[in-house]
Amino acid sequence: MKYLVRDKIFAIGDDYWIEDEEGRHAFLVDGKALRLRDTLELKDPDGHVLITLRQKMFSLRDAMTIERDERPLAIVRRKRLSLLRNHYRVTLVEGTELDVSGRILDREFTVEYEGELLAHISRQWFHVRETYAVNVVREDADAALLVAVAVCVIRMAERERED
């Protein structure tokens, strides 16, 4: 299933819809303004919070936490000792690790688990510059989590570029 993301605005406090292949609203990314740390909520079309993304405070390396039901689900960090600058690791609370690598700022990257492709993020399917797709490859994969991972690593890479 492909999810269409228009990321022309990524400022805190701005909200935007992520649509499915049929153009229906699938997720709302709700940026929370006036917070001490970067916070985004991924909501379903009815407004229920599915996932919360938070900038990790007091971390030696830039990191963001992914929470579900107000409990930690995963931590996203840029991978240390990687030859690729755009390589991130998502560590889920039960110990599972997802690898995210590719050209993050160009919106051309993959999310894998033990070498198996879970999602492919790409602009190649669109002619509009500010649009990319999160193609969730496995039907049994957690689409909300994979969309959140894509949004999270893009946000982290953009923040790193600004610094």
Side-chain angles (χ1 to χ4, degrees):
M1 170 69 85
K2 284 184 188 157
Y3 296 94
L4 174 70
V5 182
R6 290 180 182 87
D7 70 341
K8 57 187 166 225
I9 301 174
F10 251 157
I12 294 299
D14 290 331
D15 303 341
Y16 57 93
W17 282 101
I18 296 174
E19 299 171 348
D20 65 14
E21 290 176 293
E22 279 81 51
R24 295 181 304 243
H25 289 168
F27 304 107
L28 174 67
V29 178
D30 184 0
K32 296 298 179 184
L34 303 173
R35 301 274 174 109
L36 290 176
R37 56 186 176 172
D38 197 354
T39 303
L40 298 169
E41 291 178 342
L42 188 68
K43 297 179 178 181
D44 68 13
D46 296 324
H48 301 106
V49 177
L50 301 173
I51 291 184
T52 302
L53 305 171
R54 296 184 204 279
Q55 179 182 0
K56 195 161 173 66
M57 298 296 286
F58 309 114
S59 178
L60 293 175
R61 292 186 297 145
D62 193 22
M64 289 187 80
T65 59
I66 298 175
E67 300 172 2
R68 179 174 278 148
D69 299 324
E70 298 183 22
R71 282 184 246 132
L73 178 62
I75 296 176
V76 181
R77 289 188 177 97
R78 191 164 68 82
K79 188 173 177 185
R80 297 175 89 193
L81 305 173
S82 174
L83 298 175
L84 301 173
R85 178 175 164 86
N86 291 311
H87 196 160
Y88 290 79
R89 171 147 298 140
V90 180
T91 306
L92 284 83
V93 290
E94 78 272 359
T96 302
E97 291 186 341
L98 307 179
D99 284 313
V100 180
S101 62
R103 297 186 325 271
I104 308 293
L105 293 173
D106 291 334
R107 311 310 191 252
E108 295 292 337
F109 59 97
T110 60
V111 180
E112 297 179 342
Y113 170 67
E114 294 185 348
E116 182 180 351
L117 182 65
L118 298 178
H120 179 220
I121 293 77
S122 179
R123 279 195 170 134
Q124 73 180 1
W125 296 298
F126 304 101
H127 299 290
V128 180
R129 175 93 175 114
E130 292 85 18
T131 304
Y132 65 93
V134 177
N135 185 15
V136 178
V137 177
R138 286 188 49 156
E139 289 187 27
D140 63 341
D142 184 342
L145 173 62
L146 293 171
V147 168
V149 165
V151 169
C152 189
V153 297
I154 289 169
R155 190 163 197 96
M156 290 175 71
E158 287 179 345
R159 194 169 41 236
E160 186 178 303
R161 178 182 61 187
E162 291 170 3
D163 292 344

